[in-house]
Amino acid sequence: MTTVMAQTYKMVVRVNNGTAMGFPDGKITIPVDNITDIAFEEITNHPQTEATPISFLFKEYYENVTRSPMKRSPAMEIRKFGVFGSYNDGEPLNQDGVSANLMNNQKVTFLDGRWEYYPIKYWPQKVQGNNYASFFAYSPYADGGSNSFVSVNSESDKPVIEYKSINPMDDAGELVYGSRINTTKDVDNGCVTIETKYPLVQLNLNVGLTEDLGENTKVTIKSVKIGGQIPYSGQFDLFREQWINRSEKSLSYTIEGNNLSAELRDAGETAAANQPIGATRDMKPIGVSPILLIPTDGQKEITITFDYFITTDDPFLATGYSRIHNVISKTFNVALNSGTRYDVRVNLGLTSVSNISISASSWNNTHDSVINY
């Protein structure tokens, strides 16, 4: 992006005695007969007003870490962002609200080594006092597709997005957001640096057996279903950084097939020797990736259901093995908070779930590596 320089001129009037008189700021009356020449000359020593383009840099947020703002984040550069910009007559924003009057869901992408968008917007000019503007971003960009899990109300001027849990284990659903409030063009030469955070919940399900089994017996899983009072959809206010208008419809999601860990996935009607390792006393992840959920509004009931098999090889049986099919459920209460990673550890017995333990940690502590800009 280039900076446009505003040129300033003065009117120069030459009179009969050869004197050159400049009048850039006022007026004077001179008899016409005394004027020999009139010209407009550029004022080169006058402060020039710069029209500064608004540019962006997106990077990951690290808790309790101070870093130089001019860093590139490779994990961000594969993304497309939507940006809302607000200009409150140059005054700081307050809690009364915000209007996206500078940018409204502007698409910003990383091309040729920099973040670009079109049409280019310039920093508003203000003669006196501070000249603040604020920006709110999210990714992935709402492209308006019917299967999109992120959408924006095109008739609204508020920095609010809507999210639907269409596929909670899909990496593409990894929603991030960030903001830069009350910044000016004098910061980083007009580049708006936005650090992204996670507004969703990351749920990691793990399972381990309560007892050791014989070497001829394996416990393998057909599916794991999670449901209960988990909202299916909701709106996220980018300005206030909070979820609003959660749906009454609850999420019900089943981990099965290729989404199950290969070590736990049941291989069907076959002997234990042909089954994978299966569940053991050691905790193992149930899914191939975490489940991403909308945070709950306080403590809610969540139910987890295991559909699994116990296969034992027995040479005295005609088939050479036996299979026991169990379906058991366990309900527990938990508050799922935004930007938090929950590790759920399920102790599975042969006929019941004996215990569920949950640990929570911030999702914003570990990210991909960062390279110099």
Side-chain angles (χ1 to χ4, degrees):
M1 296 183 183
T2 57
T3 298
V4 180
M5 306 296 291
Q7 295 175 306
T8 305
Y9 295 86
K10 67 178 178 179
M11 185 177 72
V12 177
V13 178
R14 292 180 172 83
V15 295
N16 289 336
N17 63 5
T19 302
M21 305 175 65
F23 310 101
D25 300 316
K27 296 188 296 183
I28 190 171
T29 302
I30 302 174
V32 174
D33 293 340
N34 293 338
I35 298 176
T36 60
D37 183 52
I38 298 177
F40 290 90
E41 298 180 1
E42 183 180 354
I43 300 177
T44 58
N45 61 349
H46 190 281
Q48 294 181 312
T49 302
E50 297 183 357
T52 305
I54 300 172
S55 59
F56 293 97
L57 174 64
F58 299 95
K59 65 179 185 178
E60 298 139 304
Y61 171 80
Y62 288 72
E63 284 191 348
N64 304 318
V65 176
T66 301
R67 301 183 304 167
S68 168
M70 300 309 291
K71 294 280 189 179
R72 282 177 55 183
S73 295
M76 294 296 103
E77 293 170 4
I78 62 175
R79 291 176 170 271
K80 296 178 176 65
F81 281 84
V83 178
F84 299 86
S86 178
Y87 183 69
N88 187 30
D89 294 326
E91 297 301 317
L93 289 181
N94 52 49
Q95 293 299 315
D96 293 338
V98 58
S99 174
N101 54 11
L102 187 57
M103 293 181 176
N104 194 343
N105 198 30
Q106 174 68 58
K107 184 179 181 180
V108 183
T109 58
F110 191 80
L111 297 171
D112 300 325
R114 64 182 181 182
W115 292 96
E116 293 187 350
Y117 65 94
Y118 185 82
I120 297 174
K121 298 291 182 69
Y122 292 86
W123 284 91
Q125 301 292 336
K126 188 177 181 181
V127 178
Q128 295 179 340
N130 294 318
N131 197 29
Y132 295 110
S134 297
F135 300 88
F136 311 89
Y138 72 94
S139 176
Y141 179 73
D143 58 10
S146 58
N147 294 324
S148 176
F149 38 77
V150 183
S151 61
V152 171
N153 183 355
S154 59
E155 298 180 358
S156 173
D157 66 345
K158 303 300 181 184
V160 175
I161 60 174
E162 182 168 346
Y163 183 87
K164 295 180 180 179
S165 299
I166 295 178
N167 186 353
M169 198 174 276
D170 188 347
D171 288 340
E174 191 175 282
L175 182 67
V176 297
Y177 77 99
S179 64
R180 189 69 180 270
I181 298 177
N182 296 333
T183 187
T184 71
K185 70 174 184 178
D186 299 321
V187 178
D188 295 332
N189 297 316
C191 180
V192 180
T193 299
I194 295 179
E195 294 183 329
T196 62
K197 302 179 183 180
Y198 296 96
L200 294 172
V201 171
Q202 184 185 125
L203 195 67
N204 298 277
L205 297 177
N206 304 273
V207 64
L209 297 180
T210 57
E211 58 185 288
D212 290 317
L213 302 178
E215 61 180 12
N216 294 327
T217 299
K218 291 181 180 178
V219 176
T220 50
I221 297 176
K222 179 182 178 181
S223 66
V224 176
K225 180 179 179 181
I226 185 168
Q229 298 173 315
I230 305 172
Y232 170 75
S233 65
Q235 293 179 328
F236 188 74
D237 188 326
L238 298 170
F239 172 48
R240 292 182 170 82
E241 299 188 54
Q242 65 183 22
W243 287 91
I244 58 176
N245 301 327
R246 294 175 177 84
S247 67
E248 294 183 0
K249 178 181 177 181
S250 295
L251 171 71
S252 178
Y253 182 70
T254 301
I255 307 172
E256 58 187 349
N258 290 333
N259 282 334
L260 277 171
S261 170
E263 288 190 2
L264 299 175
R265 191 187 313 144
D266 184 71
E269 286 299 326
T270 186
N274 299 325
Q275 295 286 349
I277 296 173
T280 64
R281 291 292 296 271
D282 297 328
M283 285 288 168
K284 296 179 180 179
I286 293 174
V288 295
S289 60
I291 301 174
L292 305 180
L293 304 173
I294 294 175
T296 59
D297 183 15
Q299 289 268 343
K300 300 295 180 181
E301 282 190 354
I302 295 179
T303 299
I304 184 169
T305 301
F306 283 85
D307 187 335
Y308 65 103
F309 288 89
I310 304 171
T311 306
T312 302
D313 287 345
D314 186 346
F316 296 102
L317 296 176
T319 57
Y321 64 90
S322 65
R323 296 257 287 173
I324 300 175
H325 184 203
N326 287 334
V327 178
I328 57 175
S329 297
K330 183 78 170 181
T331 298
F332 56 98
N333 293 305
V334 65
L336 300 177
N337 298 317
S338 179
T340 304
R341 176 172 49 233
Y342 294 87
D343 289 301
V344 180
R345 297 175 177 84
V346 180
N347 292 109
L348 185 65
L350 295 182
T351 58
S352 66
V353 173
S354 63
N355 183 58
I356 292 180
S357 62
I358 303 173
S359 61
S361 60
S362 174
W363 194 353
N364 296 308
N365 278 330
T366 56
H367 299 274
D368 295 340
S369 60
V370 177
I371 61 176
N372 289 328
Y373 191 69

